[in-house]
Amino acid sequence: MTAIAIDRLHKSYGDIRAVDGVTFEVSPGEIFGMVGPNGAGKTTTIECLEGLRRPDEGRLSVLGLDPQRQGYELRERIGVQLQESSLPDRLKVREVMGLFAAFYRRSADSAALLEQLGLSEKAGAAFGQLSGGQKQRLFIALALINDPEIVFLDELTTGLDPQARRAMWDLVKGVRDRGKTVFLTTHYMEEAEKLCDRVAIIDHGKIVALDTPRNLVASLEAENRIVFSVEAPVDEAPFRAIQGVTRVEQSGGRIIIFGREDGLLVRVVMALDSAKIRFRDLRTEQPSLEDVFLALTGKEMRE
Amino acid sequence: MRGLWKLILVELKLYLREPAATFFTIVFAPMLLLLFGTIYGNKPNPFFGGRGMVDVSVPSYIALIIISVGFMGIPVATAANREAGVLRRFRMTPLRPEAYIISNIASYYVMTAIGVAALVVVGKAVYGMKFEGNILSVWAGFTLGSLAFFALGYLIAGVASTARIAQAVGMIAAFPMMFLSGSAIPLEVLPQSVRNISRFLPLTHVVTLMRGLWAGEGWAEHLTEVAVLGGVLIVGIILSARFFRWE
Ligand SMILES: Nc1ncnc2c1ncn2[C@@H]1O[C@H](COP(=O)(O)OP(=O)(O)OP(=O)(O)O)[C@@H](O)[C@H]1O
Ligand SMILES: [Mg+2]
């Protein structure tokens, strides 16, 4: 049984091929993320799954239902947070929750949801008076109001401060731990890496990689990096000689040592010490999804 | 139709929270009545067939309330909700589009009716307004006129690309009609040349129908009005459904 199956989805707007032959499956109980730069086709894909946009080609199945023909049944069972939507400015938070709860056969405890999302104090506030991040959290609460089997979150943490973002990750993990499936999009690589069980990297409407974050990073076979600053230029030769070092780069007082073997850090620090080189800001960097994206598309993933 | 009643209640609350909408629907017409009533009183006048100014103005002002809701309230609110993305959020629930539209229309209808009630109360309490008609008939005529103009309002929202354009179109269509249809100024006062134009304005037919039914005339005398408004309603529904957009 798969929660979501999507087979050769195509969707164009005029000449723009927004989604160009996307295929994947999502299993029940996983957090599945789509990452990619602006305009990659994430929203188009997620809104086709929600039944909001009509695919040009391809077969979609969500909980075994066709989003176009069985949309009402589907919407009873899924929760949706749209990248772009709004509510009447003068509607109060509490009224929003009560109203949306009334649309569904099942409903979750809306006071508890507001509490979880840190909105209890705002229950009496009008939607128009909420800050951007508070609105975002209210939309997440709405996505959970029918205790859905699958939650679709399009850019769930855009507009949230770092603390709220962490809290949101915990919330999403909690949703998964209660047996629900989560389908989300993001352009934060860090978010995809920390939150998702599996990640699809999408660029120009095509999936360029799909796996667990760990496997994606491992598949790169990329080196770890040791980075530090020095006051004056140094001779690179002693570092090249260290066992496991593959490459050394030096520019503007910053030195990056690339290598793969365990114990590299200790050997580098010992070499620094014996050469009496004064250094600052030493840190190690592991390859991340960011590097995967760079390797696969040849460009930096930036907002 | 789960959630329909809840949605109607919420829509009514939201309407009452909009000061401008509430003013034009509930306060404006009674205020106008008090203003002209103070100036002219409600003495029987041969000019109005032996009725007073207030007796004639109340049914006419009903048309004024109808057009302000239909042409100024509905187009802006509908287009603004679409523009902001409110409609697409509702679409992501199992709520049926029909249920959304019905609740919307119902809330406008109730607000318009409240406006009419306020007007009648002022007319009766302050001026001892005469009513010679049948309440059910008047209510049916009011409903026909309201729904016809609401349909046109949704049509304006559908064809206008933004809320601002919807507002401009609604106003441009509404203002001349208010003054030339006999809703704000009695038809009897208008020169013949203007009355020739009036016949082609749908709002004139609301005024004529309401005044006739108010004075106790039968439906048989108003087949033209019924045909025109019925036609506007049907064409309005077809076209507004055709042009309706969720986003
Ligand atoms: N309604 C539309 N009409 C025309 N073009 C569209 C429409 N929606 C999206 N596009 C185009 O399709 C492409 C994919 O857009 P989409 O919104 O799916 O990207 P995204 O990955 O969600 O981007 P972002 O990270 O900015 O939200 C873009 O080039 C966009 O300009
Ligand atoms: Mg998007």
Side-chain angles (χ1 to χ4, degrees):
Chain A
M1 169 70 193
T2 52
I4 298 171
I6 174 165
D7 185 20
R8 278 162 290 175
L9 173 69
H10 286 265
K11 174 85 185 173
S12 300
Y13 305 101
D15 292 341
I16 303 170
R17 292 173 159 231
V19 176
D20 195 7
V22 160
T23 299
F24 59 79
E25 289 191 356
V26 178
S27 314
E30 71 173 331
I31 301 178
F32 185 95
M34 267 191 132
V35 266
N38 289 142
K42 304 180 295 292
T43 298
T44 305
T45 306
I46 202 170
E47 291 191 354
C48 282
L49 289 171
E50 294 157 0
L52 197 55
R53 302 194 196 195
R54 185 183 292 276
D56 297 338
E57 266 175 66
R59 292 162 62 88
L60 304 183
S61 156
V62 181
L63 295 169
L65 302 169
D66 176 340
Q68 283 296 322
R69 288 189 296 111
Q70 293 159 299
Y72 295 107
E73 182 53 29
L74 181 62
R75 272 170 240 143
E76 284 282 359
R77 295 167 58 189
I78 63 171
V80 170
Q81 179 251 133
L82 298 165
Q83 185 178 2
E84 264 168 48
S85 71
S86 185
L87 288 166
D89 277 346
R90 293 178 203 262
L91 202 54
K92 297 188 177 135
V93 169
R94 189 185 298 113
E95 294 168 341
V96 170
M97 299 297 282
L99 177 63
F100 278 73
F103 295 152
Y104 295 92
R105 288 196 293 258
R106 280 162 71 99
S107 62
D109 177 353
S110 60
L113 274 178
L114 289 182
E115 176 74 46
Q116 272 182 48
L117 283 145
L119 287 171
S120 298
E121 283 166 30
K122 291 284 168 187
F127 178 78
Q129 243 116 57
L130 299 181
S131 74
Q134 290 165 342
K135 285 180 180 166
Q136 176 77 353
R137 282 184 273 152
L138 177 59
F139 282 122
I140 308 257
L142 280 188
L144 297 172
I145 195 142
N146 56 331
D147 192 20
E149 292 163 57
I150 305 183
V151 193
F152 291 93
L153 305 167
D154 196 357
E155 313 254 328
L156 77 158
T157 58
T158 300
L160 296 187
D161 59 42
Q163 193 189 344
R165 176 169 300 164
R166 294 257 143 64
M168 197 63 80
W169 293 351
D170 289 340
L171 182 98
V172 170
K173 285 180 181 156
V175 169
R176 186 237 353 242
D177 295 344
R178 278 185 276 124
K180 319 284 184 189
T181 308
V182 180
F183 186 109
L184 60 88
T185 76
T186 178
H187 24 90
Y188 299 113
M189 284 291 173
E190 188 201 356
E191 182 162 285
E193 199 164 338
K194 296 226 168 104
L195 183 57
C196 298
D197 297 315
R198 284 195 308 143
V199 173
I201 298 181
I202 182 170
D203 190 33
H204 292 302
K206 290 196 167 77
I207 293 196
V208 292
L210 195 170
D211 210 328
T212 62
R214 181 193 286 268
N215 286 348
L216 284 173
V217 171
S219 72
L220 260 190
E221 298 189 351
E223 298 119 330
N224 293 331
R225 293 178 294 256
I226 296 168
V227 186
F228 54 87
S229 306
V230 287
E231 262 135 42
V234 296
D235 179 14
E236 293 171 13
F239 299 112
R240 290 224 172 78
I242 296 172
Q243 185 197 341
V245 168
T246 51
R247 200 147 52 93
V248 177
E249 281 178 13
Q250 181 167 202
S251 73
R254 245 168 74 90
I255 296 186
I256 306 174
I257 295 176
F258 295 81
R260 199 168 283 134
E261 274 177 55
D262 293 337
L264 189 65
L265 177 63
V266 176
R267 288 196 290 273
V268 169
V269 174
M270 274 163 44
L272 283 166
D273 190 47
S274 60
K276 303 238 168 352
I277 298 171
R278 290 164 58 86
F279 62 94
R280 284 179 290 114
D281 305 334
L282 183 132
R283 61 197 153 87
T284 62
E285 289 178 351
Q286 278 74 42
S288 68
L289 270 190
E290 195 85 43
D291 301 292
V292 176
F293 186 80
L294 180 67
L296 289 171
T297 65
K299 59 187 180 201
E300 298 264 356
M301 168 75 204
R302 282 282 167 263
E303 295 166 58
Chain B
M1 293 284 170
R2 195 185 300 270
L4 182 66
W5 288 111
K6 186 104 186 179
L7 187 54
I8 293 176
L9 284 178
V10 166
E11 302 254 22
L12 287 173
K13 261 196 238 176
L14 283 173
Y15 201 101
L16 290 169
R17 285 179 195 162
E18 295 287 345
T22 306
F23 175 81
F24 280 107
T25 313
I26 300 176
V27 183
F28 183 62
M31 223 175 71
L32 220 55
L33 191 69
L34 286 170
L35 184 71
F36 288 110
T38 312
I39 300 170
Y40 299 107
N42 192 26
K43 283 189 286 296
N45 188 335
F47 191 61
F48 294 129
R51 298 184 183 84
M53 217 280 304
V54 170
D55 303 333
V56 175
S57 294
V58 169
S60 311
Y61 287 177
I62 291 177
L64 206 57
I65 301 174
I66 289 176
I67 196 168
S68 79
V69 174
F71 275 31
M72 297 195 296
I74 290 177
V76 186
T78 308
N81 278 341
R82 179 185 66 212
E83 213 173 312
V86 174
L87 298 188
R88 71 199 305 264
R89 187 61 195 83
F90 278 109
R91 238 186 114 191
M92 281 293 92
T93 71
L95 181 75
R96 305 268 162 176
E98 307 86 273
Y100 180 80
I101 307 280
I102 289 171
S103 74
N104 218 259
I105 294 172
S107 67
Y108 287 120
Y109 180 75
V110 169
M111 290 309 303
T112 314
I114 291 174
V116 171
L119 180 67
V120 167
V121 166
V122 171
K124 197 92 196 157
V126 183
Y127 300 104
M129 165 201 79
K130 252 206 281 288
F131 177 69
E132 299 149 275
N134 170 309
I135 291 187
L136 277 183
S137 282
V138 167
W139 177 65
F142 159 75
T143 304
L144 175 63
S146 301
L147 295 182
F149 274 80
F150 292 0
L152 293 179
Y154 285 105
L155 176 59
I156 294 174
V159 293
S161 52
T162 66
R164 293 179 76 91
I165 293 177
Q167 180 172 33
V169 172
M171 297 258 231
I172 290 168
F175 276 117
M177 249 202 269
M178 285 179 171
F179 294 108
L180 303 180
S181 65
S183 61
I185 306 160
L187 276 173
E188 287 85 343
V189 180
L190 301 174
Q192 188 58 44
S193 55
V194 172
R195 277 150 85 181
N196 289 340
I197 303 172
S198 302
R199 283 190 295 146
F200 298 100
L201 301 175
L203 194 64
T204 311
H205 297 279
V206 179
V207 175
T208 312
L209 182 64
M210 291 319 293
R211 279 184 59 177
L213 296 173
W214 204 259
E217 293 166 9
W219 287 91
E221 294 159 70
H222 291 285
L223 294 180
T224 320
E225 284 73 36
V226 173
V228 169
L229 294 174
V232 168
L233 177 61
I234 290 164
V235 173
I237 290 175
I238 293 170
L239 289 181
S240 59
R242 161 84 181 63
F243 285 101
F244 187 83
R245 285 169 292 143
W246 291 98
E247 42 186 316

